[in-house]
């Protein structure tokens, strides 16, 4: 199996696990494990030190595990189950792999007891047995980076608006135009959006937003036309470092809505709000050195050009240089 197909196969196993939780299917869950799996876990999302770990499930035992989950499913209602695969990595020999998955699963007991919130990042470790990937180890759910306070990001209230654009949460109606817009190779080239995304990928991005916002990781808003609410693009606050009180801003505009000041207006509105309402001391804006349009947006929105970070973006075939801009609370413009 080549590396790409192996990664896809591991991702499919992660998705199969997500569906098994969605459908509360204890039988299908049990089928995902290696028979030698041993499962200790951190008692809280802050327990990064394994010296604090406790015994949860013990060693795999299909009958015992199936029974535990069945009793759990009978006693709880699934409120939501949001899972996002952050990374899949296959070992050079092609026989081992791990997947990093952000989990946000909320269970509500039927008897009115306390909710159970599974929230954090897991490393799921797989081994290839007779052509199928089996889960053999798991770190449990931990918050990353360690010590990060999970602090839900508020939505701007009232909504941010000027005479040109309005920033608002996504709606279902945005999925189709957002998917059409992101077929533009420039968006893929200059942002983290995948090339030619399918409608399902766009929807998955959209579905992941509430969990990212509640987990304090990302706030993404739709940029809509101030007059007719038509979808123009998206803007995000991301890469928060709460200890250093800084974050980054990123955006794209649909090809049909460009060069009308939408990006500049959206960046002005959200950046000022982030600095005043979230208590940040610095907001960074990264653009590729050949992204002249985005550099103009940064300047027009009052950001200061600080310099070039060499080989900072290693996502493509070759590492690319980044021009970094920043806005501080005292900056005018
Ligand atoms: C960069 C991007 C967001 C700009 O959006 P936009 O709404 O067209 O930008 P604005 O209309 O606010 O334009 C701001 C400034 O940039 C200039 N500009 C816009 N597109 C330009 C282009 N292709 N070439 C040169 N200048 C350009 C505008 O003329 C304007 O400058 P001015 O006020 O001096 O005339 C949009 O082109 C885009 O989505 N590109 C692909 C994704 C991307 O690069 N995202 C940013 C990643 S950092």
């Amino acid at each position: 199996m080549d590396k790409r197909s192996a990664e896809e196969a591991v991702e499919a196993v992660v998705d199969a696990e997500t569906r098994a939780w969605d459908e509360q299917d204890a039988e299908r869950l049990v089928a995902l494990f290696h028979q030698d799996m041993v499962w200790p876990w951190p008692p809280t999302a802050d327990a990064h030190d394994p010296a604090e770990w406790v015994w949860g499930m013990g060693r795999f035992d299909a009958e015992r595990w199936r029974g535990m989950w069945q009793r759990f499913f009978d006693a709880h209602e699934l409120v939501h189950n949001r899972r996002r695969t952050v990374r899949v990595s296959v070992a050079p020999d092609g026989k081992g792999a791990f997947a990093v998955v952000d989990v946000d699963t909320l269970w509500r007991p039927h008897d009115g007891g306390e909710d159970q919130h599974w929230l954090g990042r897991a490393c799921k470790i797989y081994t290839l047995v007779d052509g199928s990937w089996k889960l053999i180890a798991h770190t449990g759910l931990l918050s990353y980076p360690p010590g990060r306070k999970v602090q839900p990001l508020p939505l701007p209230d009232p909504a941010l608006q000027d005479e040109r654009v309005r920033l608002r949460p996504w709606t279902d109606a945005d999925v189709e135009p957002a998917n059409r817009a992101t077929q533009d190779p420039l968006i893929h080239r200059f942002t983290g959006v995948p090339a030619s995304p399918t409608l399902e990928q766009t929807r998955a991005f959209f579905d992941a937003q509430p969990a990212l916002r509640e987990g304090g990781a990302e706030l993404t808003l739709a940029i809509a036309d101030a007059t007719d609410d038509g979808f123009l693009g998206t803007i995000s606050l991301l890469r928060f470092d709460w200890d250093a009180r800084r974050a980054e801003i990123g955006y794209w505009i649909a090809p049909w809505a460009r060069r009308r000041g939408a990006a500049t207006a959206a960046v002005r509105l959200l950046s000022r709000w982030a600095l005043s309402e979230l208590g940040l001391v610095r907001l960074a804006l990264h653009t590729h050195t050949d992204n002249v349009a985005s550099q103009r947006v940064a300047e027009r929105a009052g950001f200061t050009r600080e310099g070039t970070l060499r080989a900072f973006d290693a996502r493509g075939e070759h590492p690319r240089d980044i021009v970094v801009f920043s806005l501080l609370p005292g900056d005018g413009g």
Side-chain angles (χ1 to χ4, degrees):
M1 202 186 292
D2 65 47
K3 187 165 169 277
R4 187 72 207 117
S5 334
E7 286 169 357
E8 282 170 9
V10 171
E11 200 155 351
V13 176
V14 174
D15 293 344
E17 184 191 331
T18 303
R19 278 197 304 280
W21 292 114
D22 281 339
E23 289 159 24
Q24 295 160 59
D25 187 333
E27 193 63 53
R28 290 228 318 268
L29 270 176
V30 166
L32 299 166
F33 292 91
H34 189 278
Q35 58 175 13
D36 298 326
M37 163 97 172
V38 180
W39 199 345
W41 62 50
T44 66
D46 297 325
H48 293 84
D49 180 352
E52 296 173 37
W53 288 13
V54 296
W55 281 109
M57 305 288 282
R59 190 177 195 276
F60 182 74
D61 176 321
E63 209 179 309
R64 183 165 57 83
W65 287 26
R66 192 189 303 109
M68 277 170 62
W69 277 319
Q70 196 53 60
R71 284 192 294 283
F72 184 82
F73 294 149
D74 292 344
H76 292 80
E77 173 204 344
L78 178 61
V79 180
H80 63 241
N81 180 35
R82 301 171 184 135
R83 292 179 180 228
R84 186 172 73 104
T85 304
V86 177
R87 183 179 171 208
V88 170
S89 175
V90 173
D93 65 10
K95 293 177 185 161
F98 66 86
V100 180
V101 183
D102 281 343
V103 173
D104 174 6
T105 305
L106 185 64
W107 300 96
R108 184 150 299 155
H110 295 308
D111 68 4
E114 261 188 40
D115 285 354
Q116 271 209 34
H117 200 177
W118 302 348
L119 185 66
R121 177 165 287 184
C123 181
K124 294 173 179 281
I125 302 166
Y126 297 89
T127 185
L128 190 63
V129 184
D130 297 333
S132 60
W133 290 99
K134 295 288 181 192
L135 188 61
I136 192 159
H138 197 292
T139 56
L141 299 177
L142 290 164
S143 66
Y144 286 94
R148 176 169 75 89
K149 312 264 176 309
V150 175
Q151 157 172 345
L153 287 160
L155 283 172
D157 181 22
L160 299 169
Q161 171 153 17
D162 68 3
E163 66 285 351
R164 221 177 285 259
V165 299
R166 191 158 75 89
L167 308 187
R168 56 157 177 78
W170 282 59
T171 68
D172 264 355
D174 296 328
V175 174
E176 189 282 324
N179 178 258
R180 197 155 27 97
T182 47
Q183 302 308 313
D184 171 22
L186 265 192
I187 294 184
H188 169 62
R189 179 164 148 209
F190 291 136
T191 73
V193 175
S196 317
T198 62
L199 208 54
E200 282 61 44
Q201 281 175 306
T202 305
R203 191 176 295 282
F205 173 80
F206 155 71
D207 285 345
Q209 293 315 313
L212 291 172
R213 191 170 72 74
E214 280 159 35
E218 233 173 273
L219 170 66
T220 292
L221 295 167
I223 305 172
D225 187 296
T227 318
D228 64 11
D229 201 43
F231 177 83
L232 304 178
T234 73
I235 186 157
S236 308
L237 294 171
L238 66 171
R239 301 200 184 89
F240 282 86
D241 180 335
W242 288 109
D243 290 331
R245 289 164 60 202
R246 60 179 180 235
E248 217 181 287
I249 193 163
Y251 44 86
W252 54 258
I253 297 290
W256 60 84
R258 289 183 189 154
R259 305 206 79 150
R260 287 193 271 132
T264 304
V267 171
R268 275 183 171 280
L269 288 166
L270 191 62
S271 58
R272 269 69 182 169
W273 177 83
L275 292 175
S276 67
E277 300 302 315
L278 302 179
L280 302 178
V281 297
R282 171 188 167 87
L283 192 63
L285 191 162
H286 289 180
T287 75
H288 290 94
T289 41
D290 54 344
N291 193 352
V292 178
S294 192
Q295 289 167 36
R296 281 298 296 145
V297 171
E299 286 160 356
R300 296 279 293 149
F303 282 63
T304 298
R305 181 186 289 253
E306 294 183 329
T308 303
L309 299 171
R310 294 182 304 153
F312 194 77
D313 179 6
R315 274 176 307 200
E317 223 169 289
H318 307 289
R320 288 182 292 167
D321 296 351
I322 288 289
V323 184
V324 58
F325 293 84
S326 70
L327 188 74
L328 310 187
D331 290 347

